[in-house]
Amino acid sequence: MLITFKSKAYPEVMMYKEHAKRILDLLHKDTDRGVITSEEAPKAVEILEKEIAESRKHVPTDEVEQDVRAHHGEHEDAQHEGVETVSFATRSYPLLEMLRAARDQHCEILWGV
């Protein structure tokens, strides 16, 4: 399921619910419906930047690669591209940019409405 984040300060950002959940949990927000007010945006940016910095300290290990192989088979299919892992920093970047724009333009961010 997708979540669409909306703000007057930035184009819509869509994320899979499972990926947005980690960010929304950090911000103590519900995944189904919510708002980040303009007053909350500066703290939200700070929290998300800190989590991104922390996630960059932990490079994916061989265990992640083994898990991916277990779920997708040992041998690569010539007709399919190889599996690539996407970092938390990469996944959260569009929402972080939206949060920064909302903070700077004193707008709120809504989802699930």
Side-chain angles (χ1 to χ4, degrees), residues 15 22-23 48-49 51-57 86-97:
M15 296 180 76
R22 179 174 175 189
I23 297 168
L48 190 50
E49 286 176 341
E51 186 69 14
I52 288 169
E54 187 64 30
S55 74
R56 286 183 173 155
K57 293 179 184 177
V86 179
S87 70
F88 174 73
T90 300
R91 287 195 196 283
S92 59
Y93 183 78
L95 188 56
L96 176 59
E97 286 297 295

Side-chain angles (χ1 to χ4, degrees), residues 3 13 19 31 50 58 64 76 94 113:
I3 296 177
V13 172
H19 300 144
T31 54
K50 183 177 178 182
H58 306 286
V64 173
E76 299 230 0
V113 291

Side-chain angles (χ1 to χ4, degrees), residues 14-75:
M14 292 176 38
M15 296 180 76
Y16 283 110
K17 189 174 186 175
E18 64 189 78
H19 300 144
K21 184 178 180 350
R22 179 174 175 189
I23 297 168
L24 294 174
D25 284 350
L26 288 169
L27 304 177
H28 306 290
K29 299 290 183 177
D30 185 70
T31 54
D32 294 326
R33 182 179 345 172
V35 62
I36 298 171
T37 65
S38 60
E39 293 82 18
E40 294 173 315
K43 184 67 175 171
V45 168
E46 181 182 320
I47 290 168
L48 190 50
E49 286 176 341
K50 183 177 178 182
E51 186 69 14
I52 288 169
E54 187 64 30
S55 74
R56 286 183 173 155
K57 293 179 184 177
H58 306 286
V59 182
T61 64
D62 290 338
E63 293 171 1
V64 173
E65 187 174 333
Q66 290 170 359
D67 188 45
V68 169
R69 284 189 180 146
H71 290 290
H72 295 282
E74 236 358 89
H75 305 288

